[in-house]
Amino acid sequence: MGKYIIRRLLQMIPVFLGATLFIYWLNFALPGDPTAGRCGERPCSPAYIEGFNAKYGLDKPFLVQYVRYLTMLLHGDLGTNYYNNTVIHELAIRYPTTIRLALVALAFMTLVGVTAGILAGIRKGGVIDNLVTILTLLVISMPVFVIGGLSQRFFGLQWKIFPVTAGNPATWNQLILPGLVLGSLSLAYVARLTRTSLVENLRADYVRTAKAKGLSTARSIGLHALRNSLLPVITYIGASIGGLMGGAIVTERIFNINGIGGLIWRSINQRDGMTLVGTVVVLVMIYLVVNLLVDLLYGVLDPRISHD
């Protein structure tokens, strides 16, 4: 196990370098002028633009800028944005809110999605199966901003169950409704994936053998079929965590949440490349770590999977 973890960590290095190179190049290639709007309604003077580019290294070639940025990363520095605020400080302000939002969405999509998928898979063709299929298809077909607007309309304004918008900083109660909206699409996929995988495993020979040996239906499903059925579900949930941690831009804007999604949106609009690159680099690291944890979890769910 230890050798496997070390090998995976070493494999992350070229992936991380390639991802940061691509992200930095995309930011470098984006159109627009980062000095636009900084001098009021009038264009900035050539002297101001020259000083601005020199201060942030924008007058250097792309590779020089990238190597300089990598050097900063090795020292744990994500740089300073174009408003003289460190990117680490900007992330530290917003990540606690985004983490809480992601936890609400993750708990919702996992508990409700897996439970609905199990009930639909066990009772294939029944009322619950048809109901889960129709509801998940309805959620998948609706854009997030529609789900968010309807949730605000009914749960916030009409029924007064949850707050319509979040404050700064947002409380747990204010993040429940946006968390449900954020996790709704993933919940639909988790439920359908769990249902399909469970139905397939219930037909397998090892489940019939377990029942023939006298194992109860509940134990044969829970001990054998369900564990194998959760493997693709765990993969999907692991891939979704990175997106949840990044904060959905649409969801955060609908509920006025000051999180990572809003920071990315603002950075793109204001052409704040240092904040944008630093934020996405952190998300890449989260993706890599979560994928490693998911691979390790495979061995727990299925002992046949070896990490030697």
Side-chain angles (χ1 to χ4, degrees), residues 17-18 20-21 24 61-71:
L17 292 176
T20 53
L21 175 62
Y24 205 91
F62 166 72
L63 289 179
V64 175
Q65 294 186 43
Y66 177 67
V67 172
R68 177 189 175 191
Y69 186 75
L70 281 183
T71 305

Side-chain angles (χ1 to χ4, degrees), residues 111-260:
L111 297 178
V112 179
V114 172
T115 302
I118 292 174
L119 295 177
I122 295 175
R123 297 171 174 82
K124 179 188 175 183
V127 176
I128 296 181
D129 184 21
N130 292 327
L131 182 63
V132 169
T133 301
I134 293 174
L135 291 179
T136 53
L137 184 60
L138 179 64
V139 172
I140 292 173
S141 63
M142 295 176 64
V144 175
F145 64 87
V146 174
I147 299 177
L150 291 176
S151 300
Q152 286 180 316
R153 172 68 175 82
F154 291 102
F155 292 102
L157 297 177
Q158 184 169 335
W159 298 330
K160 309 290 185 181
I161 300 177
F162 301 112
V164 177
T165 59
N168 188 20
T171 63
W172 281 100
N173 184 49
Q174 293 171 340
L175 293 175
I176 291 178
L177 186 58
L180 299 183
V181 173
L182 180 60
S184 59
L185 182 60
S186 297
L187 179 148
Y189 285 115
V190 167
R192 295 173 73 91
L193 186 59
T194 303
R195 183 259 183 199
T196 303
S197 182
L198 183 59
V199 168
E200 181 180 353
N201 280 284
L202 287 176
R203 300 173 181 171
D205 293 336
Y206 66 88
V207 175
R208 289 196 294 265
T209 302
K211 292 181 179 180
K213 289 182 177 181
L215 221 63
S216 64
T217 302
R219 286 183 58 83
S220 61
I221 294 176
L223 191 62
H224 296 285
L226 184 58
R227 290 183 61 179
N228 291 333
S229 301
L230 288 179
L231 290 177
V233 179
I234 292 297
T235 303
Y236 178 80
I237 292 176
S240 301
I241 290 178
L244 297 177
M245 291 296 295
I249 296 177
V250 177
T251 303
E252 289 192 357
R253 287 183 63 82
I254 290 175
F255 292 93
N256 193 33
I257 298 175
N258 187 28
I260 299 300

Side-chain angles (χ1 to χ4, degrees), residues 4-21:
Y4 175 78
I5 295 177
I6 294 175
R7 187 169 65 250
R8 283 296 305 272
L9 291 175
L10 292 176
Q11 291 174 353
M12 288 181 182
I13 297 176
V15 175
F16 178 77
L17 292 176
T20 53
L21 175 62

Side-chain angles (χ1 to χ4, degrees), residues 1-9 11-12 227 230-231 234-235 238 287-308:
M1 178 68 73
K3 293 182 179 179
Y4 175 78
I5 295 177
I6 294 175
R7 187 169 65 250
R8 283 296 305 272
L9 291 175
Q11 291 174 353
M12 288 181 182
R227 290 183 61 179
L230 288 179
L231 290 177
I234 292 297
T235 303
Y287 268 113
L288 293 176
V289 173
V290 169
N291 284 333
L292 174 60
L293 295 178
V294 168
D295 288 344
L296 295 178
L297 189 58
Y298 284 166
V300 177
L301 294 175
D302 191 349
R304 297 173 299 177
I305 299 177
S306 175
H307 293 312
D308 296 333

